[in-house]
Amino acid sequence: MATDEERRDSAERAAQRQVEAGGGAAEARALLRGQGSGVLCTQSARRPGFPSASLVPYALSTKGEPLLLLSAIAQHTRNLEADPRACLFVLDAEAAAKDPRTAARLAVYGEVSPLSGEDEADARARYLARHPSARGLLGMDFHLHRLAVEEAQWVGGFAAAAWFDAAALARP
């Protein structure tokens, strides 16, 4: 007789196979490209041991990694300075308005670091192409950062969930 954990593992493997067979990585990439904002989750420096979440606009690098324009005084930036691990949660907002349980969503895990030099110039152009109204922020205390993707969890609706590594999420 299977244990609860064995049944969960079996269901998770079946969901992963279903998503992979249906091109889930492509759907995850499309969601990431199609949305322009997400919830950035960091480890709270102010409340150790607690998660902290904030809404952030993002663009994508040439490798498909999220680019974030963060203020030096924002709590999420302070959190990232203490611990660069983060998760960017992206949701199909239109579908969620109809039924949040069946809306596609993606949690992108990795480490956030500030950009500089040549990387920053390309990121700036990409970010401003996606968010032209952010141009004025670049002259203030805002700086571009990249979320280096390690892994992502895709949920495409009921019984459609899978984990993808950075390479699968980055493929064109």
Side-chain angles (χ1 to χ4, degrees):
M1 180 150 241
T3 67
D4 287 344
E5 186 164 341
E6 289 170 335
R7 283 191 291 276
R8 280 192 298 267
D9 288 347
S10 177
E12 187 175 322
R13 284 191 302 275
Q16 178 91 24
R17 284 191 302 272
Q18 179 180 337
V19 168
E20 288 171 354
E27 290 181 35
R29 286 190 301 274
L31 177 65
L32 196 56
R33 279 192 311 268
Q35 301 299 311
S37 63
V39 177
L40 181 65
C41 302
T42 58
Q43 291 292 318
S44 178
R46 181 182 175 115
R47 306 240 335 139
F50 283 86
S52 181
S54 53
L55 184 63
V56 295
Y58 69 88
L60 296 176
S61 72
T62 56
K63 295 179 184 177
E65 295 174 314
L67 300 169
L68 311 167
L69 185 61
L70 306 177
S71 169
I73 63 171
Q75 189 60 52
H76 50 246
T77 305
R78 292 176 185 186
N79 295 343
L80 290 167
E81 288 169 350
D83 185 341
R85 295 175 299 167
C87 175
L88 180 67
F89 180 78
V90 179
L91 173 70
D92 180 340
E94 188 177 316
K98 295 174 186 165
D99 186 350
R101 293 169 297 173
T102 60
R105 52 230 186 242
L106 182 68
V108 182
Y109 295 88
E111 291 193 5
V112 176
S113 60
L115 292 171
S116 61
E118 200 174 293
D119 289 339
E120 185 177 19
D122 181 64
R124 175 186 288 248
R126 290 176 167 280
Y127 195 90
L128 290 176
R130 186 68 186 259
H131 303 285
S133 63
R135 185 171 303 282
L137 299 175
L138 291 167
M140 299 170 68
D141 75 331
F142 285 78
H143 303 282
L144 285 160
H145 293 70
R146 174 182 42 237
L147 172 62
V149 178
E150 294 176 16
E151 189 173 38
Q153 183 188 30
W154 161 257
V155 178
F158 182 73
W163 287 88
F164 298 108
D165 63 17
L169 198 60
R171 288 189 190 117

